[in-house]
Amino acid sequence: MAVTASIGCSASDSPTTDGALNAWTRHTIDDSSLGADGVRLGDVNGDGLLDITSPWEQGGETRVYVNPGPGGLRDRWPAVTVGKVGDPEDSFFADLDGDGALDVVSSCEGSERSIFVHWNPNDPEQLLNPDAWKTEPLPASVGHSRWMFSYAAQVDGAHGVDLVASSKGNGAQIGWFEAPPNPRDLTLWNWHPLYEAGWAMTIRPYDMDDDGDLDIVGTDRRGPRRGALWLEHPNPSPATGDWTEHRIGPMDDHEAMHNTIADLDQDGLDDVIVAAKGGPLRFHRRTSNGWETHQIAMPPNTGSGKGVKVADVNLDGKPDLVISCEHATGGKSGLFWLSYDESPTEREWAFSTISGPEGFIFDLLQLVDLDGDGDLDVVTLEEKGPYLAGGFQGSELGVIWYENPLVP
């Protein structure tokens, strides 16, 4: 598939400076399928380097990309299709059966409406052989709802990791699948619904009340309870106890997109930052008395907020925001970073682009020092070309990473 480069340069060597108007260098990991829709990280081959898994929604496949090391980072990465499934929306690494090898879990929406496990062959020689991976549906998930996002965590203290999952639309929920004594027998995984959702976006494990167990932090994009929330783990009885719902900030008319947890104001308390569709980011500042919500404006030359991460991009000692967007048309930036002047509670932050004007829909992003030069690069994806004349036109950029040029 052809790739559209920015400002007349090749796709793998876009122009790069440290100014607000210029893009970082983009490197293509894979652009061979359609509708890349998420990037999650893990060391699938045990070599100490972070690998990537990504679903391709329109392509109907889930893929794993093996980090080639410093000499091959700027070329296409070695890849394997671990399973072909319908409408995959999310995929992540997890050792579900405890054999020491990372498996892959796919969450599917559309007509598929199922969660699939792609079992790792647990043979280094077969890792890149698609026929060595075994794909099975999780029966309790089949036809349930349009699955959106999942992760693995120890919920009940028994039988290895469990699966926490979320969905959207009719019958949407946040809940967890309880692992049985033999995790390979997927028929024995039981579903425990916890929260009736409209359109659940990011969910993540985090000990919000400091009691030693993992609660669930999430964002709900649609419906009467849209916004950010957390569900309190009812230790010691997660299967039968009441997971109390706690709201993070107000429930208002914004569509809460992906979230992240970080100590943005560096006061020792972790905050929750949420991207919002068509509006400012929500900085839910945690205080000793609860939550204090501030709005951080989206610059006018950017798309609509989708994903957000916190990191010190330029190594000046202050946390910055890295933001991905959808609907970045008309020369707008779909991937950029913001820095504050005096306080993170300021509404206006300074803008610096990462992607430049290329790309239309960016999604999840991960921050990692891929090239080992001491600063954080951005691993992400771009899933559609521009919308023109009644449909999406052109080629998406696929699974990509942007090389941080700001620090020598």
Side-chain angles (χ1 to χ4, degrees), residues 299-385:
N301 56 337
T302 64
S304 176
K306 190 70 176 289
V308 60
K309 290 286 187 182
V310 175
D312 185 0
V313 173
N314 57 356
L315 303 183
D316 67 351
K318 297 193 303 184
D320 308 300
L321 294 172
V322 182
I323 300 161
S324 65
C325 297
E326 58 186 12
H327 304 298
T329 58
K332 293 181 178 180
S333 180
L335 186 68
F336 59 93
W337 65 282
L338 301 176
S339 58
Y340 67 85
D341 184 15
E342 298 294 332
S343 169
T345 60
E346 297 165 359
R347 182 176 175 86
E348 305 290 336
W349 290 37
F351 163 84
S352 296
T353 193
I354 294 175
S355 65
E358 67 176 12
F360 176 56
I361 298 180
F362 294 85
D363 200 275
L364 285 180
L365 61 131
Q366 308 292 343
L367 304 180
V368 60
D369 183 8
L370 271 185
D371 52 9
D373 64 354
D375 54 32
L376 292 172
D377 308 300
V378 178
V379 180
T380 188
L381 60 104
E382 197 278 330
E383 61 177 294
K384 286 186 175 69

Coordinates of all heavy atoms in Angstrom, one line a residue, residues 299-385:
P299 N -5.3 23.0 20.8 CA -5.0 24.0 19.9 C -5.9 24.0 18.6 O -6.4 23.0 18.2 CB -3.5 23.7 19.5 CG -3.0 22.8 20.7 CD -4.2 22.1 21.1
P300 N -6.1 25.2 18.0 CA -7.0 25.3 16.9 C -6.6 24.6 15.7 O -7.4 24.3 14.8 CB -7.1 26.8 16.7 CG -5.8 27.4 17.2 CD -5.5 26.5 18.4
N301 N -5.3 24.3 15.5 CA -4.8 23.6 14.3 C -4.6 22.1 14.5 O -3.8 21.5 13.9 CB -3.5 24.2 13.9 CG -2.4 24.2 15.0 OD1 -2.7 24.1 16.2 ND2 -1.1 24.2 14.6
T302 N -5.5 21.5 15.3 CA -5.4 20.1 15.6 C -6.8 19.4 15.4 O -7.8 20.1 15.3 CB -4.9 19.8 17.0 OG1 -5.9 20.3 18.0 CG2 -3.6 20.5 17.3
G303 N -6.7 18.1 15.3 CA -8.0 17.4 15.2 C -8.7 17.3 16.5 O -8.5 18.0 17.5
S304 N -9.6 16.3 16.6 CA -10.4 16.1 17.8 C -9.7 15.0 18.7 O -9.3 14.0 18.2 CB -11.8 15.6 17.4 OG -12.6 15.3 18.5
G305 N -9.6 15.3 20.0 CA -8.8 14.5 20.9 C -9.3 13.0 20.9 O -10.5 12.7 21.0
K306 N -8.3 12.1 20.9 CA -8.6 10.7 21.0 C -7.8 10.0 22.1 O -8.4 9.4 23.0 CB -8.2 10.0 19.6 CG -8.6 8.6 19.4 CD -10.1 8.5 19.3 CE -10.6 7.0 19.0 NZ -10.2 6.6 17.6
G307 N -6.4 10.1 22.0 CA -5.6 9.4 23.1 C -4.7 10.5 23.7 O -4.4 11.5 23.2
V308 N -4.2 10.1 24.9 CA -3.4 11.1 25.7 C -2.4 10.3 26.5 O -2.7 9.2 27.1 CB -4.2 12.0 26.5 CG1 -5.1 11.3 27.5 CG2 -3.3 13.1 27.2
K309 N -1.1 10.8 26.6 CA -0.1 10.2 27.5 C 0.6 11.4 28.2 O 0.7 12.5 27.6 CB 0.9 9.4 26.7 CG 0.3 8.0 26.2 CD 0.2 7.0 27.3 CE -0.2 5.7 26.8 NZ -0.4 4.7 27.9
V310 N 1.2 11.1 29.3 CA 2.0 12.1 30.1 C 3.4 11.6 30.1 O 3.7 10.5 30.4 CB 1.5 12.3 31.5 CG1 2.4 13.2 32.3 CG2 0.0 12.8 31.5
A311 N 4.4 12.5 29.7 CA 5.8 12.2 29.8 C 6.6 13.5 29.7 O 6.1 14.5 29.2 CB 6.2 11.2 28.7
D312 N 7.8 13.5 30.1 CA 8.7 14.6 29.9 C 9.3 14.5 28.5 O 10.4 13.9 28.4 CB 9.8 14.6 31.0 CG 10.7 15.9 30.9 OD1 10.5 16.7 30.0 OD2 11.6 16.0 31.8
V313 N 8.7 15.1 27.5 CA 9.1 14.9 26.1 C 10.5 15.5 25.9 O 11.3 14.9 25.2 CB 8.1 15.5 25.2 CG1 8.5 15.5 23.7 CG2 6.7 14.7 25.3
N314 N 10.7 16.7 26.4 CA 12.0 17.4 26.1 C 13.0 17.4 27.2 O 14.0 18.1 27.2 CB 11.7 18.8 25.7 CG 10.9 19.6 26.7 OD1 10.5 19.0 27.7 ND2 10.7 20.9 26.5
L315 N 12.7 16.6 28.3 CA 13.7 16.4 29.4 C 14.0 17.7 30.1 O 15.1 17.9 30.5 CB 14.9 15.7 28.9 CG 14.8 14.3 28.2 CD1 16.1 13.7 27.8 CD2 13.9 13.4 29.1
D316 N 13.0 18.5 30.3 CA 13.2 19.8 31.0 C 12.7 19.7 32.5 O 12.7 20.6 33.2 CB 12.5 20.9 30.4 CG 11.0 20.8 30.4 OD1 10.4 19.7 30.8 OD2 10.3 21.8 30.0
G317 N 12.4 18.4 32.9 CA 11.9 18.2 34.3 C 10.5 18.4 34.5 O 10.0 18.1 35.6
K318 N 9.7 18.8 33.5 CA 8.3 19.0 33.7 C 7.5 18.0 32.8 O 7.9 17.8 31.6 CB 7.9 20.5 33.3 CG 8.5 21.6 34.1 CD 7.8 22.9 33.9 CE 7.8 23.3 32.4 NZ 7.3 24.7 32.2
P319 N 6.4 17.5 33.3 CA 5.6 16.6 32.5 C 4.9 17.3 31.3 O 4.4 18.4 31.5 CB 4.7 15.9 33.4 CG 4.6 16.9 34.6 CD 5.9 17.6 34.7
D320 N 4.9 16.7 30.2 CA 4.2 17.2 29.0 C 3.0 16.3 28.7 O 2.9 15.2 29.2 CB 5.1 17.3 27.8 CG 6.4 18.1 28.2 OD1 6.3 19.3 28.6 OD2 7.5 17.5 28.1
L321 N 2.2 16.7 27.8 CA 1.1 15.9 27.3 C 1.3 15.5 25.8 O 1.7 16.4 25.0 CB -0.2 16.6 27.4 CG -0.8 16.9 28.8 CD1 -2.0 17.8 28.7 CD2 -1.1 15.6 29.5
V322 N 1.2 14.2 25.4 CA 1.3 13.8 24.1 C -0.1 13.3 23.7 O -0.7 12.5 24.4 CB 2.3 12.6 23.9 CG1 2.4 12.2 22.4 CG2 3.7 13.1 24.3
I323 N -0.6 13.9 22.6 CA -2.1 13.7 22.3 C -2.2 13.2 20.8 O -1.6 13.7 19.9 CB -2.8 15.1 22.4 CG1 -2.7 15.5 23.9 CG2 -4.3 14.9 22.1 CD1 -3.0 17.0 24.1
S324 N -3.1 12.3 20.6 CA -3.5 11.8 19.3 C -4.9 12.2 19.0 O -5.7 12.5 19.9 CB -3.4 10.3 19.2 OG -4.3 9.6 20.1
C325 N -5.2 12.4 17.7 CA -6.5 12.9 17.3 C -7.1 12.1 16.2 O -6.4 11.5 15.4 CB -6.4 14.4 16.8 SG -5.8 15.5 18.1
E326 N -8.4 12.3 16.1 CA -9.1 11.9 14.9 C -9.6 13.1 14.1 O -9.5 14.2 14.7 CB -10.3 10.9 15.2 CG -11.3 11.6 16.2 CD -12.4 10.6 16.6 OE1 -12.2 9.4 16.3 OE2 -13.4 11.1 17.2
H327 N -10.1 12.9 12.9 CA -10.6 14.1 12.1 C -9.6 15.2 12.0 O -9.9 16.4 12.0 CB -11.9 14.6 12.7 CG -12.9 13.5 12.8 ND1 -13.5 12.8 11.8 CD2 -13.5 13.0 14.0 CE1 -14.3 11.9 12.2 NE2 -14.4 12.0 13.5
A328 N -8.3 14.8 11.7 CA -7.3 15.8 11.5 C -7.2 16.1 10.0 O -6.4 15.6 9.3 CB -6.0 15.3 12.0
T329 N -8.1 17.0 9.5 CA -8.2 17.3 8.1 C -7.8 18.7 7.9 O -7.6 19.5 8.8 CB -9.7 17.1 7.6 OG1 -10.5 18.0 8.4 CG2 -10.1 15.7 7.8
G330 N -7.6 19.1 6.6 CA -7.3 20.5 6.2 C -6.0 21.0 6.8 O -5.9 22.2 7.1
G331 N -5.0 20.1 6.8 CA -3.7 20.5 7.3 C -3.5 20.5 8.8 O -2.4 21.0 9.3
K332 N -4.5 20.0 9.5 CA -4.4 20.0 11.0 C -3.4 18.9 11.4 O -3.2 17.9 10.7 CB -5.7 19.8 11.6 CG -6.7 21.0 11.4 CD -8.0 20.8 12.1 CE -8.9 22.0 11.9 NZ -10.3 21.7 12.6
S333 N -2.9 19.0 12.6 CA -2.0 18.0 13.2 C -2.9 17.0 14.0 O -3.7 17.4 14.8 CB -1.0 18.7 14.2 OG -0.2 17.7 14.7
G334 N -2.6 15.7 13.7 CA -3.3 14.6 14.4 C -2.5 14.0 15.5 O -3.0 13.2 16.3
L335 N -1.2 14.4 15.7 CA -0.4 13.9 16.8 C 0.6 15.0 17.1 O 1.3 15.5 16.3 CB 0.4 12.7 16.3 CG 1.2 11.9 17.3 CD1 0.3 11.2 18.3 CD2 2.1 10.9 16.6
F336 N 0.6 15.4 18.4 CA 1.3 16.5 18.9 C 1.6 16.5 20.4 O 1.1 15.6 21.0 CB 0.6 17.9 18.5 CG -0.7 18.0 19.2 CD1 -0.9 18.6 20.4 CD2 -1.9 17.4 18.5 CE1 -2.2 18.7 21.0 CE2 -3.1 17.5 19.1 CZ -3.3 18.2 20.3
W337 N 2.4 17.4 20.9 CA 2.6 17.5 22.3 C 2.5 18.9 22.8 O 2.7 19.9 22.1 CB 4.0 16.9 22.7 CG 5.2 17.6 22.2 CD1 5.8 17.5 21.0 CD2 6.1 18.4 23.0 NE1 6.9 18.2 20.9 CE2 7.2 18.8 22.2 CE3 6.1 18.8 24.4 CZ2 8.2 19.6 22.6 CZ3 7.2 19.6 24.8 CH2 8.2 20.0 23.9
L338 N 2.1 19.0 24.1 CA 1.8 20.3 24.7 C 2.7 20.4 26.0 O 2.9 19.4 26.7 CB 0.3 20.4 25.2 CG -0.7 20.3 24.1 CD1 -2.1 20.3 24.7 CD2 -0.6 21.4 23.1
S339 N 3.2 21.6 26.2 CA 3.9 21.9 27.4 C 3.3 23.1 28.1 O 2.9 24.1 27.5 CB 5.4 22.1 27.1 OG 5.5 23.2 26.2
Y340 N 3.4 23.1 29.5 CA 2.8 24.3 30.2 C 3.9 25.2 30.6 O 5.1 24.8 30.7 CB 2.0 23.8 31.4 CG 2.7 23.1 32.5 CD1 3.4 23.8 33.5 CD2 2.8 21.7 32.6 CE1 4.0 23.2 34.6 CE2 3.5 21.1 33.6 CZ 4.1 21.8 34.6 OH 4.8 21.2 35.6
D341 N 3.5 26.4 31.0 CA 4.5 27.4 31.4 C 4.7 27.4 32.9 O 5.8 26.9 33.4 CB 4.0 28.8 31.0 CG 5.0 29.9 31.3 OD1 6.2 29.6 31.6 OD2 4.6 31.1 31.3
E342 N 3.8 27.8 33.7 CA 3.9 27.9 35.2 C 3.2 26.8 35.9 O 3.7 26.3 36.9 CB 3.4 29.2 35.7 CG 4.1 30.5 35.1 CD 5.6 30.5 35.6 OE1 5.8 30.0 36.7 OE2 6.4 31.1 34.9
S343 N 2.0 26.4 35.4 CA 1.2 25.4 36.1 C 0.4 24.5 35.2 O -0.1 25.0 34.2 CB 0.3 26.1 37.1 OG -0.7 25.2 37.6
P344 N 0.3 23.2 35.5 CA -0.5 22.4 34.6 C -2.0 22.7 34.6 O -2.8 22.1 33.8 CB -0.2 20.9 35.1 CG 0.2 21.1 36.5 CD 0.9 22.4 36.5
T345 N -2.4 23.5 35.6 CA -3.8 23.9 35.6 C -4.1 25.0 34.6 O -5.3 25.4 34.5 CB -4.2 24.3 37.0 OG1 -3.5 25.5 37.4 CG2 -4.1 23.2 38.0
E346 N -3.1 25.5 33.9 CA -3.4 26.5 32.9 C -4.2 26.0 31.8 O -4.1 24.8 31.4 CB -2.0 27.0 32.3 CG -1.1 27.7 33.3 CD 0.3 27.8 32.8 OE1 0.6 27.3 31.7 OE2 1.2 28.4 33.5
R347 N -5.1 26.8 31.2 CA -5.9 26.3 30.1 C -5.2 26.2 28.8 O -5.4 25.3 28.0 CB -7.2 27.2 29.9 CG -8.1 26.7 28.9 CD -9.4 27.6 28.8 NE -10.2 27.2 27.7 CZ -11.1 26.2 27.7 NH1 -11.3 25.5 28.8 NH2 -11.8 25.9 26.6
E348 N -4.3 27.2 28.5 CA -3.6 27.2 27.3 C -2.1 26.7 27.5 O -1.4 27.2 28.3 CB -3.5 28.7 26.7 CG -4.8 29.3 26.6 CD -5.7 28.8 25.5 OE1 -5.1 28.2 24.5 OE2 -6.9 28.9 25.5
W349 N -1.8 25.7 26.8 CA -0.4 25.1 26.8 C 0.2 25.3 25.4 O -0.4 25.5 24.4 CB -0.5 23.6 27.0 CG -0.9 23.2 28.4 CD1 -1.8 23.7 29.2 CD2 -0.4 22.0 29.2 NE1 -1.9 23.1 30.4 CE2 -1.1 22.0 30.4 CE3 0.5 21.0 28.9 CZ2 -0.8 21.0 31.4 CZ3 0.8 20.1 29.8 CH2 0.1 20.0 31.0
A350 N 1.6 25.3 25.4 CA 2.3 25.5 24.2 C 2.3 24.3 23.3 O 2.4 23.2 23.8 CB 3.8 25.9 24.5
F351 N 2.1 24.5 22.0 CA 1.9 23.4 21.0 C 3.1 23.1 20.3 O 3.8 24.0 19.8 CB 0.7 23.8 20.1 CG 0.7 23.0 18.8 CD1 0.0 21.8 18.8 CD2 1.3 23.5 17.6 CE1 0.0 21.0 17.6 CE2 1.2 22.7 16.5 CZ 0.6 21.5 16.4
S352 N 3.4 21.8 20.1 CA 4.5 21.4 19.1 C 4.0 20.2 18.4 O 3.5 19.2 19.0 CB 5.8 21.1 19.9 OG 6.3 22.2 20.5
T353 N 4.1 20.1 17.1 CA 3.6 19.0 16.3 C 4.5 17.8 16.4 O 5.7 18.0 16.7 CB 3.3 19.4 14.9 OG1 2.5 18.4 14.2 CG2 4.6 19.6 14.1
I354 N 4.0 16.7 16.1 CA 4.8 15.4 15.9 C 4.5 14.9 14.5 O 5.5 14.7 13.8 CB 4.4 14.4 17.0 CG1 4.8 14.8 18.4 CG2 5.1 13.0 16.6 CD1 4.4 13.9 19.5
S355 N 3.3 14.8 14.1 CA 3.0 14.2 12.8 C 3.0 15.2 11.7 O 3.0 14.8 10.5 CB 1.6 13.6 12.9 OG 0.6 14.6 13.1
G356 N 2.9 16.5 12.0 CA 2.7 17.5 10.9 C 1.3 17.3 10.4 O 0.4 16.8 11.1
P357 N 1.0 17.7 9.1 CA -0.3 17.6 8.5 C -0.7 16.3 8.0 O -1.9 16.1 7.6 CB -0.2 18.7 7.4 CG 1.2 18.6 6.9 CD 2.0 18.4 8.2
E358 N 0.2 15.3 8.0 CA -0.2 14.0 7.5 C -1.1 13.2 8.5 O -1.0 13.4 9.7 CB 1.0 13.2 7.1 CG 1.8 12.7 8.4 CD 3.0 11.9 8.0 OE1 3.4 11.8 6.8 OE2 3.6 11.3 8.9
G359 N -1.9 12.3 7.9 CA -2.7 11.4 8.7 C -4.1 12.0 9.0 O -4.3 13.2 9.0
F360 N -5.0 11.1 9.3 CA -6.4 11.6 9.5 C -7.0 11.1 10.9 O -7.5 11.8 11.7 CB -7.3 11.1 8.4 CG -8.7 11.4 8.5 CD1 -9.2 12.7 8.8 CD2 -9.7 10.4 8.5 CE1 -10.5 13.0 8.9 CE2 -11.0 10.7 8.6 CZ -11.4 12.0 8.8
I361 N -6.8 9.8 11.2 CA -7.3 9.2 12.4 C -6.1 8.5 13.1 O -5.7 7.4 12.7 CB -8.4 8.3 12.2 CG1 -9.6 9.0 11.6 CG2 -8.8 7.6 13.6 CD1 -10.9 8.1 11.4
F362 N -5.6 9.1 14.2 CA -4.6 8.4 15.0 C -5.4 7.9 16.3 O -6.5 8.4 16.5 CB -3.5 9.4 15.5 CG -2.6 9.9 14.4 CD1 -3.0 11.0 13.6 CD2 -1.4 9.3 14.1 CE1 -2.2 11.5 12.6 CE2 -0.6 9.7 13.1 CZ -1.0 10.8 12.4
D363 N -4.8 6.9 17.0 CA -5.5 6.3 18.1 C -4.6 6.1 19.3 O -4.0 7.1 19.7 CB -6.1 5.0 17.6 CG -7.3 4.5 18.4 OD1 -7.0 3.9 19.5 OD2 -8.4 4.8 18.1
L364 N -4.6 4.9 19.8 CA -3.7 4.7 21.0 C -2.3 5.0 20.7 O -1.8 4.8 19.5 CB -3.8 3.2 21.4 CG -5.1 2.7 22.1 CD1 -4.9 1.3 22.4 CD2 -5.3 3.5 23.4
L365 N -1.6 5.5 21.7 CA -0.1 5.8 21.5 C 0.6 5.3 22.7 O 0.1 5.2 23.8 CB 0.1 7.3 21.3 CG -0.3 8.2 22.4 CD1 0.8 9.2 22.8 CD2 -1.5 9.0 22.0
Q366 N 1.9 4.9 22.5 CA 2.7 4.4 23.5 C 4.0 5.2 23.5 O 4.5 5.5 22.4 CB 3.0 2.9 23.4 CG 1.8 2.0 23.2 CD 1.0 1.9 24.5 OE1 1.4 2.3 25.6 NE2 -0.3 1.5 24.3
L367 N 4.6 5.5 24.6 CA 5.8 6.3 24.7 C 6.9 5.4 25.2 O 6.8 4.8 26.3 CB 5.7 7.5 25.6 CG 4.5 8.4 25.3 CD1 4.5 9.6 26.3 CD2 4.7 9.0 23.9
V368 N 8.0 5.2 24.4 CA 9.1 4.4 24.8 C 10.3 4.8 24.0 O 10.3 5.4 22.9 CB 8.8 2.9 24.4 CG1 8.5 2.8 22.9 CG2 9.8 1.9 24.8
D369 N 11.5 4.7 24.7 CA 12.8 5.1 24.0 C 13.2 3.9 23.1 O 14.0 3.1 23.5 CB 13.8 5.4 25.1 CG 15.1 5.9 24.5 OD1 15.2 6.1 23.3 OD2 16.1 6.0 25.2
L370 N 12.6 3.9 21.9 CA 12.9 2.8 21.0 C 14.4 2.8 20.6 O 15.0 1.7 20.5 CB 12.0 2.9 19.8 CG 10.7 2.2 19.8 CD1 10.0 2.3 18.4 CD2 10.8 0.7 20.2
D371 N 14.9 3.9 20.2 CA 16.3 4.0 19.7 C 17.4 4.1 20.7 O 18.6 4.2 20.4 CB 16.4 5.1 18.6 CG 15.9 6.4 19.1 OD1 15.6 6.5 20.4 OD2 15.8 7.4 18.3
G372 N 17.0 4.1 22.0 CA 18.0 4.1 23.1 C 18.8 5.4 23.2 O 20.0 5.3 23.7
D373 N 18.3 6.5 22.7 CA 19.1 7.7 22.8 C 18.8 8.6 24.0 O 19.2 9.7 24.1 CB 18.9 8.5 21.5 CG 17.5 9.0 21.3 OD1 16.6 8.7 22.0 OD2 17.3 9.8 20.3
G374 N 17.9 8.1 24.9 CA 17.6 8.8 26.1 C 16.4 9.7 26.1 O 16.0 10.2 27.2
D375 N 15.7 9.8 25.0 CA 14.4 10.5 25.0 C 13.3 9.5 24.5 O 13.6 8.5 24.0 CB 14.4 11.8 24.2 CG 14.9 11.5 22.7 OD1 14.6 10.4 22.2 OD2 15.5 12.4 22.1
L376 N 12.0 9.9 24.7 CA 10.9 9.0 24.4 C 10.4 9.3 23.0 O 10.1 10.4 22.6 CB 9.8 9.3 25.5 CG 10.1 8.8 26.9 CD1 9.0 9.3 27.8 CD2 10.3 7.3 27.0
D377 N 10.3 8.2 22.3 CA 9.7 8.2 21.0 C 8.2 7.8 21.1 O 7.7 7.4 22.2 CB 10.4 7.2 20.1 CG 11.9 7.4 20.1 OD1 12.4 8.5 19.7 OD2 12.6 6.5 20.5
V378 N 7.5 8.0 20.0 CA 6.0 7.7 20.0 C 5.7 6.5 19.1 O 6.1 6.6 17.9 CB 5.2 8.9 19.6 CG1 3.7 8.6 19.5 CG2 5.4 10.1 20.5
V379 N 5.1 5.5 19.6 CA 4.7 4.3 18.8 C 3.1 4.5 18.7 O 2.5 4.6 19.8 CB 5.0 3.0 19.5 CG1 4.5 1.8 18.6 CG2 6.5 2.9 19.7
T380 N 2.6 4.5 17.5 CA 1.2 4.7 17.4 C 0.7 4.1 16.0 O 1.4 3.2 15.5 CB 0.8 6.2 17.5 OG1 -0.6 6.3 17.5 CG2 1.4 7.0 16.3
L381 N -0.4 4.5 15.6 CA -1.0 4.0 14.3 C -1.8 5.1 13.7 O -2.3 6.0 14.4 CB -1.8 2.8 14.5 CG -3.0 3.0 15.5 CD1 -4.3 3.1 14.7 CD2 -3.1 2.0 16.5
E382 N -2.0 5.0 12.4 CA -3.0 5.9 11.8 C -3.8 5.0 10.9 O -3.3 4.3 10.1 CB -2.2 7.0 11.0 CG -3.1 8.2 10.6 CD -3.9 7.9 9.3 OE1 -3.4 7.1 8.5 OE2 -5.0 8.5 9.2
E383 N -5.1 5.1 11.0 CA -6.0 4.0 10.5 C -6.8 4.3 9.2 O -7.3 3.4 8.6 CB -6.9 3.5 11.6 CG -7.9 4.5 12.1 CD -8.8 3.9 13.1 OE1 -9.6 3.0 12.7 OE2 -8.8 4.2 14.3
K384 N -6.9 5.6 8.8 CA -7.7 5.9 7.6 C -7.1 7.1 6.9 O -6.6 8.0 7.5 CB -9.2 6.2 8.0 CG -10.0 4.9 8.4 CD -11.4 5.3 8.6 CE -12.3 4.1 8.9 NZ -12.0 3.5 10.2
G385 N -7.3 7.0 5.6 CA -7.0 8.2 4.8 C -8.1 9.2 4.9 O -9.1 9.0 5.6

